[in-house]
Amino acid sequence: MAIQKIFVVGAGLMGSGIAQNAITSGYTVILNDQRQEALERAKDGIVKSLDREVEKGRMSTEDRDAALARLSIDATLEGAKEADLVIEAIFENLEAKQAVFTSLEDICPKKTIFASNTSSISLTALAAATKRPSQVVGMHFFSPVPRMRLCEVIFGLLTTQEVLDEVKTVGEKMGKTLIQADDKPGFIVNRALLPMLNEACVIVGSYIGSVEDVDNGMKLGCNHPMGPLELADMIGLDILLNVMTVMDKEIGAKYHPSLLLRKLVVSGFLGRKSGAGFYTYENGKKTGVNPVLTHFQSLAR
């Protein structure tokens, strides 16, 4: 089966990024969300992003217009009737993701592959909520999707080789390097990455080092292109907390989310998308360390 039509569920940062990457790679995409305002915001963001590509000479006007012609938005699930591939990109919650697949079960053709952008949840558990467990697979993209070159492909207990091959073809056409992981909590990247991000939070929360010193230490001492706290802000502190909570439950204490991370999320500091996390942001650009944390450090001393 040659995949041509993709139905993306979730118009947040990840879903809109996946949709943009797919339409610029030649796929026809319907972007779905229950909230019409989220769909409009996502479409406007995609248009602006492609306009910037044209302005910088990385895309022609004709290619931009052709890509946008392949995108449509739909607040209902009806657009999934002709989908070859569904990519679910909602928040990290097993029951919510299962509900998406259950809702689509009788709408999608029998051939449709169900993929999840999950970064930690069991694909076997997701597949159990469907009548097509052999056609359920993980496609874990990284943010910002159009720029990040990796896609982690995860197979559940019953995922067939044919389905793996189909989604790998999609990933390659979208310009990704693919790595393949078994269905174990956290898969490959988050299994290795999250303890480092969490420990960076612990270091700041324990007054061992400042936000900037932690990030500069890892960038200059370990040659990381981005500090762990900058990266946490880009991922979204709420998303990081959700994933760590899942992994804490599945694996144990090594993944227990730090107290500071939990405090920031409860206080509404979610990172770049909310305007403040470990750093503050204006129009997506970092402007300084979150004053709450500098005050917090000074009180501790």
Side-chain angles (χ1 to χ4, degrees), residues 129-164:
T130 77
K131 301 172 186 175
R132 60 185 84 198
S134 64
Q135 293 164 236
V136 176
V137 66
M139 293 186 77
H140 178 206
F141 293 89
F142 293 79
S143 182
V145 179
R147 294 208 308 269
M148 295 295 279
R149 294 176 295 171
L150 184 68
C151 180
E152 193 172 27
V153 177
I154 306 101
F155 55 93
L157 185 64
L158 299 176
T159 308
T160 66
Q161 186 61 51
E162 181 183 2
V163 166
L164 282 174

